[in-house]
Amino acid sequence: MDNRYPKLTLTPLEFEHHVRSMLDALGHSILEYKSEHRDIIQGVDGEYEIDVSARFEFLGMSFLVLVECKHYKNSVKRETLQALHDKMRSVGAQKCALFTTSGFQSGALKYAETHKIATVKVTDGHSMYFTKSMGAELIEPPPWANFPVVSGWLIDGNHGSVVSADHGEFLERFLFSCL
């Protein structure tokens, strides 16, 4: 979550594909998992285009998770999460998540915590490298370190947990533990 690393230079479409790969990283442990990019889902009040959807079966029941990707310059506002939560209820999804390149306003994080919405800040993959110094000077990872181009941080209260195509366990626990 360190802002000293370079900003991502992804197009919105590339950003959505990276988010889908992060979500797919956790699909290995559930049955009949599939994800869709730009899925059109019928709700009680109309159709919605969802950036990434994930469907799976667990304990003989079908589940749907909605994921919105916001490639913003400014922090995500509470209203954006409210709109996602409304879509979730309209289409009958069980969970939702919002991935952004910009971070979240405090009111948005409070709303997400109250409604159990996963919030993930997507960053340059080098942000996975932390040292004890954590000073003002950026310390580059060693050349042998193999970090993804894109990673993310699941923001849960005062904690941040890494999310990437290789590390989906924290997001998986957040999204699927309360179903």
Side-chain angles (χ1 to χ4, degrees):
M1 296 189 319
D2 194 327
N3 291 327
R4 296 174 294 170
Y5 288 102
K7 281 201 159 255
L8 289 174
T9 56
L10 302 173
T11 67
L13 184 62
E14 290 170 328
F15 172 56
E16 290 170 358
H17 284 291
H18 277 287
V19 168
R20 183 178 180 192
S21 71
M22 288 181 201
L23 199 62
D24 287 348
L26 54 93
H28 67 278
S29 65
I30 48 184
L31 299 175
E32 301 297 322
Y33 172 85
K34 80 174 194 176
S35 68
E36 296 288 334
H37 179 240
R38 296 198 177 161
D39 195 6
I40 304 296
I41 302 175
Q42 182 65 47
V44 295
D45 54 359
E47 287 185 343
Y48 293 97
E49 182 177 335
I50 304 302
D51 293 333
V52 180
S53 66
R55 290 178 171 82
F56 61 94
E57 291 185 15
F58 183 68
L59 298 175
M61 297 176 281
S62 296
F63 292 92
L64 172 61
V65 177
L66 307 182
V67 178
E68 288 289 287
C69 304
K70 301 300 179 190
H71 197 290
Y72 287 173
K73 290 181 182 177
N74 298 316
S75 296
V76 172
K77 296 179 181 179
R78 174 187 171 126
E79 292 81 17
T80 305
L81 287 162
Q82 287 172 317
L84 176 58
H85 192 244
D86 285 346
K87 290 177 189 177
M88 183 188 86
R89 291 185 298 204
S90 177
V91 303
Q94 287 70 36
K95 288 282 192 161
C96 60
L98 196 138
F99 287 65
T100 183
T101 54
S102 62
F104 299 89
Q105 291 183 356
S106 61
L109 289 173
K110 183 168 177 51
Y111 184 87
E113 183 178 3
T114 300
H115 296 282
K116 308 288 189 256
I117 300 170
T119 51
V120 179
K121 181 173 190 242
V122 178
T123 63
D124 180 280
H126 286 95
S127 71
M128 292 174 62
Y129 182 75
F130 286 104
T131 65
K132 291 181 182 179
S133 66
M134 294 301 285
E137 182 181 329
L138 177 65
I139 299 173
E140 285 293 322
W144 49 263
N146 186 18
F147 292 106
V149 173
V150 177
S151 65
W153 293 93
L154 172 66
I155 302 167
D156 187 13
N158 292 329
H159 300 88
S161 302
V162 72
V163 177
S164 73
D166 295 327
H167 297 282
E169 61 273 8
F170 296 109
L171 183 60
E172 180 177 15
R173 191 175 315 136
F174 186 91
L175 287 174
F176 305 134
S177 67
C178 306
L179 290 177

